[in-house]
């Protein structure tokens, strides 16, 4: 059964990329780069398309780039499931480097998995410089469960859940399922550290890449939003860089209690002590803001 599911997933594999504030020399605003989450796209009029338009109305003259991974909206949506994350990050790095409107720097806002993907951009591609990174429901320590998928993507997610449960760290699954690349199994920590193609790398699980740490420390702010009623991210603590304690799957630990923080392998302790880590919470389900919450809490960070 697993082989059949993987074959189906692989046969559907296609490319994905779409097309943001730093101070713009023309109007004094800082450009903003957006990266959507799983099952969404750059330009959905009910999600990022609407948000992009709203930000542009609230901050006149701001340049907002909503990343499209691929040639069209369909490819963009599919890439969120099937295109290697490291490939996606490289594509985005090239796009940002070639955009003349971003060369003075930019702010970045990632939604769900788009948040950890943008953190990888900050760590790997310091030019142009990212100023503020806003993670909206991002899973910075990964997930250990795929309890629910949004909207029409639920049938795809059922197949992905089965593949992850049966072999998340197999070479085939790692290379062809995006969600496998930030699957974090606390019961098989050695497998995660050795075979995770994306998350274990950007979280310094194998070796400490001093360049990653140096680049992340260039952020002026790293803002993380956790949704208190989240039914999509498991465990929800990952949205604040916490996770399950190694060796079991019930008890969680905060970022500050983790080895990553105590050894400061990524620079997060330095950012925290400098007041550059910001932890926000919203009383809603995944990516569901109470009315006025975005305008009150996140919009001021973009002005």
């Amino acid at each position: 059964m697993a082989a059949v599911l993987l074959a189906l997933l692989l046969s559907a594999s296609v490319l994905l990329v779409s097309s943001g504030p730093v101070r713009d020399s023309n109007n004094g605003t800082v450009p903003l780069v957006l990266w959507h989450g799983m099952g969404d796209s750059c330009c959905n009029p009910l999600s990022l398309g609407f948000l992009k338009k709203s930000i542009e109305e609230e901050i006149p003259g701001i340049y907002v780039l909503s990343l499209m991974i691929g040639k069209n909206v369909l490819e963009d949506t599919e890439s969120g499931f099937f295109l290697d994350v490291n490939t996606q990050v490289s594509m985005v790095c090239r796009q940002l480097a070639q955009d003349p409107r971003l060369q003075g720097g930019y702010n970045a806002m990632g939604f769900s998995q788009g948040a950890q993907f943008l953190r990888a951009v900050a760590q790997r591609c310091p030019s142009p410089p990212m100023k503020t990174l806003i993670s909206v429901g991002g899973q910075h320590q990964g997930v250990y469960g795929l309890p629910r998928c949004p909207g029409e993507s639920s049938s795809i997610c059922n197949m992905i859940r089965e593949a992850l449960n049966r072999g998340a760290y197999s070479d085939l699954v790692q290379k062809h399922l995006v969600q496998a690349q930030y699957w974090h199994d606390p019961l098989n920590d050695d497998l995660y550290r050795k075979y995770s193609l994306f998350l274990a790398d950007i979280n310094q699980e194998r070796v400490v890449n001093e360049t990653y740490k140096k680049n992340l420390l260039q952020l002026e702010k790293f803002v993380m939003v956790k949704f208190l009623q989240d039914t999509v991210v498991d465990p929800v603590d990952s949205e604040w860089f916490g996770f399950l304690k190694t060796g079991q799957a019930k008890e969680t630990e905060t970022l500050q209690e983790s080895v990553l923080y105590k050894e400061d392998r990524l620079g997060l302790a330095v950012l925290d002590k400098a007041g550059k880590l910001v932890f926000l919470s919203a009383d809603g389900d995944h990516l569901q803001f109470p009315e006025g919450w975005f305008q009150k809490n996140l919009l001021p960070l973009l002005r």
Side-chain angles (χ1 to χ4, degrees):
M1 181 62 176
V4 173
L5 289 170
L6 286 175
L8 288 171
L9 291 168
L10 290 176
S11 68
S13 179
V14 292
L15 295 180
L16 299 185
V17 188
S18 140
S19 313
V22 169
R23 300 293 168 191
D24 181 87
S25 59
N26 295 320
N27 58 30
T29 63
V30 179
L32 176 63
V33 173
L34 305 175
W35 198 331
H36 63 80
M38 176 181 69
D40 202 358
S41 72
C42 63
C43 315
N44 187 330
L46 299 179
S47 56
L48 254 65
F50 175 81
L51 182 67
K52 178 179 184 293
K53 182 178 179 181
S54 298
I55 293 172
E56 290 169 340
E57 291 175 349
E58 292 281 351
I59 308 176
I62 187 174
Y63 171 51
V64 183
L65 172 65
S66 186
L67 294 165
M68 178 190 293
I69 312 300
K71 296 178 181 179
N72 53 52
V73 169
L74 177 60
E75 285 190 7
D76 189 24
T77 305
E78 290 173 338
S79 60
F81 293 108
F82 302 118
L83 182 62
D84 173 67
V85 180
N86 296 303
T87 298
Q88 294 190 53
V89 170
S90 295
M91 293 167 70
V92 168
C93 286
R94 288 194 298 271
Q95 182 178 357
L96 301 185
Q98 294 169 6
D99 192 329
R101 289 166 289 187
L102 300 178
Q103 298 316 299
Y106 63 96
N107 292 333
M109 184 180 296
F111 295 83
S112 197
Q113 66 182 21
Q116 58 261 35
F117 300 171
L118 278 171
R119 175 164 64 85
V121 172
Q123 292 174 207
R124 295 174 178 176
C125 307
S127 181
M130 185 184 295
K131 302 296 186 180
T132 293
L133 172 58
I134 302 173
S135 167
V136 184
Q139 305 98 44
H140 293 281
Q141 277 286 12
V143 296
Y144 184 53
L146 206 65
R148 186 176 67 81
C149 289
E152 297 176 357
S153 303
S154 58
S155 59
I156 296 176
C157 287
N158 288 336
M159 290 189 290
I160 291 175
R161 182 183 295 109
E162 179 72 12
L164 291 173
N165 287 336
R166 290 179 178 270
Y169 300 119
S170 70
D171 187 62
L172 192 61
V173 175
Q174 276 290 308
K175 288 181 177 178
H176 296 282
L177 284 181
V178 165
Q179 289 68 39
Q181 293 186 3
Y182 57 87
W183 185 261
H184 188 169
D185 186 345
L187 303 178
N188 290 286
D189 196 56
D190 289 344
L191 290 178
Y192 158 68
R193 291 172 183 269
K194 185 174 182 179
Y195 294 112
S196 171
L197 293 181
F198 174 70
L199 189 69
D201 176 66
I202 66 165
N203 281 4
Q204 310 274 50
E205 299 282 13
R206 290 185 279 265
V207 296
V208 174
N209 183 327
E210 293 295 340
T211 299
Y212 283 4
K213 184 174 180 179
K214 175 184 175 182
N215 290 342
L216 196 66
L217 284 171
Q218 300 308 305
L219 288 175
E220 295 174 3
K221 272 192 176 64
F222 181 6
V223 181
M224 287 175 272
V225 179
K226 178 167 74 171
F227 291 89
L228 300 180
Q229 309 302 324
D230 204 312
T231 61
V232 173
V233 176
D234 185 14
V236 68
D237 309 72
S238 189
E239 296 179 356
W240 275 1
F241 234 122
F243 202 64
L244 296 159
K245 291 184 177 179
T246 300
Q248 49 84 59
K250 292 184 178 180
E251 189 176 354
T252 61
E253 64 183 10
T254 65
L255 166 64
Q256 289 78 7
E257 293 169 333
S258 70
V259 172
L260 177 69
Y261 186 93
K262 290 177 179 178
E263 295 182 357
D264 205 16
R265 298 170 69 86
L266 198 51
L268 295 171
V270 172
L271 289 173
D272 194 18
K273 291 168 185 175
K276 295 181 178 182
L277 284 189
V278 180
F279 300 89
L280 301 178
S281 61
D283 190 18
D285 202 347
H286 193 59
L287 305 185
Q288 301 298 308
F289 299 103
E291 185 175 357
W293 192 95
F294 185 93
Q295 290 78 1
K296 178 181 178 181
N297 293 277
L298 298 186
L299 201 60
L301 299 170
L302 306 179
R303 296 189 184 279

